[in-house]
Amino acid sequence: MDEAYQSARLCGLNLIAQVKAACNGDLTKVKRVVKLVGFVNSKDDFTDQPKVINGASDLMVDVFGENGRHARSAVGVNTLPLGVTTEVEAIFEVEVDSPFGPGYDKKGQPTRLLPGMKVEAVDRFFGDIITVATVKEVKGDEVLIGFDGWPESYDYWCKIDDGDFQPPGTSMRAQARLSPPNGYVGYFDWASYLEETNSIAAPPQVFRSKTVFPSFKGDKAIKFELWHRMEAQVVPLPPTQEQMDRDEGKGSGVSNK
């Protein structure tokens, strides 16, 4: 069994080598492994084909993390070309080359999270605050979230499918309060802030979480739903009375964390 498992793993390595060549050597262009179909050269009474093809499936998860999880078929056959033990086919979803550079489609729309994108994120030190944040780094299936205006000690790493960071505009859709960047002076709205910081909002289509702000411990009356994220928009908003007071010098201009 171990020999057959290793044979399937070797098939997986060959598949990864082929998709790497198709992506000009850049495996970060692989968005996900869609499906594997494995064939096992076996006798009629052998029924452990799935355990054999696990050699290829486990490898995909080892290499691509959560993006390596896939649909799969494992089939027993009475012969394979050249008498090999296993044969594996794969379907990969890959990012196409764009004149706008890696991470963008041919129309200039982002296809994945990129460093510098702005998001809304739960402050995990307190749990009852959602504030303005930035994607600082993306490594495989992990993302480093940093809070605008706050020291790096508040930063945290999380999985790329974590629900505690969402696109700008999510809080507005749920009618939840968004805390502005620490020290921000003037009323805050996303459209103006993106222009001021020369940055872009992470669009809803690049998020993978199945929940929205699951760690939020603030107002229990607020129920975050997936549609809040899917319909999140960056639009200019009229200032609240609190924001107007701050502009007139009646407030501190500093957010409280």
Side-chain angles (χ1 to χ4, degrees), residues 17-63:
Q18 291 299 314
V19 75
K20 182 176 181 180
C23 293
N24 297 318
D26 184 5
L27 281 178
T28 63
K29 290 183 178 180
V30 177
K31 298 177 67 176
R32 65 187 179 110
V33 182
V34 179
K35 184 177 182 180
L36 296 185
V37 180
F39 301 92
V40 182
N41 192 346
S42 51
K43 295 181 179 180
D44 292 343
D45 60 351
F46 184 78
T47 59
D48 283 337
Q49 288 86 0
K51 293 181 181 179
V52 172
I53 301 303
N54 281 347
S57 292
D58 293 345
L59 177 67
M60 296 300 164
V61 177
D62 290 343
V63 173

Side-chain angles (χ1 to χ4, degrees), residues 27-206:
L27 281 178
T28 63
K29 290 183 178 180
V30 177
K31 298 177 67 176
R32 65 187 179 110
V33 182
V34 179
K35 184 177 182 180
L36 296 185
V37 180
F39 301 92
V40 182
N41 192 346
S42 51
K43 295 181 179 180
D44 292 343
D45 60 351
F46 184 78
T47 59
D48 283 337
Q49 288 86 0
K51 293 181 181 179
V52 172
I53 301 303
N54 281 347
S57 292
D58 293 345
L59 177 67
M60 296 300 164
V61 177
D62 290 343
V63 173
F64 299 109
E66 288 298 312
N67 296 339
R69 299 193 183 281
H70 50 270
R72 193 188 75 175
S73 299
V75 183
V77 295
N78 61 8
T79 186
L80 284 172
L82 303 178
V84 297
T85 304
T86 57
E87 180 177 310
V88 181
E89 299 175 356
I91 299 174
F92 294 90
E93 181 182 353
V94 300
E95 187 176 291
V96 298
D97 288 330
S98 166
F100 297 92
Y104 296 88
D105 63 19
K106 292 183 178 180
K107 295 182 179 180
Q109 296 299 311
T111 58
R112 55 186 168 93
L113 284 170
L114 297 169
M117 283 182 169
K118 298 296 182 182
V119 297
E120 298 177 358
V122 173
D123 176 354
R124 287 184 171 171
F125 282 86
F126 293 91
D128 61 346
I129 297 173
I130 299 171
T131 190
V132 175
T134 301
V135 175
K136 286 192 170 182
E137 197 172 346
V138 180
K139 285 187 177 180
D141 63 348
E142 293 192 332
V143 181
L144 178 62
I145 300 296
F147 294 98
D148 290 24
W150 290 93
E152 292 183 354
S153 58
Y154 286 99
D155 296 358
Y156 63 79
W157 283 95
C158 60
K159 293 294 184 181
I160 204 166
D161 60 353
D162 194 301
D164 276 347
F165 68 98
Q166 298 294 332
T170 302
S171 295
M172 180 187 71
R173 283 296 184 190
Q175 298 184 344
R177 181 180 182 277
L178 175 69
S179 180
N182 185 38
Y184 189 81
V185 176
Y187 76 88
F188 179 88
D189 74 85
W190 268 115
S192 300
Y193 185 65
L194 292 173
E195 184 177 355
E196 291 167 10
T197 57
N198 193 29
S199 52
I200 63 172
Q205 66 267 22
V206 304

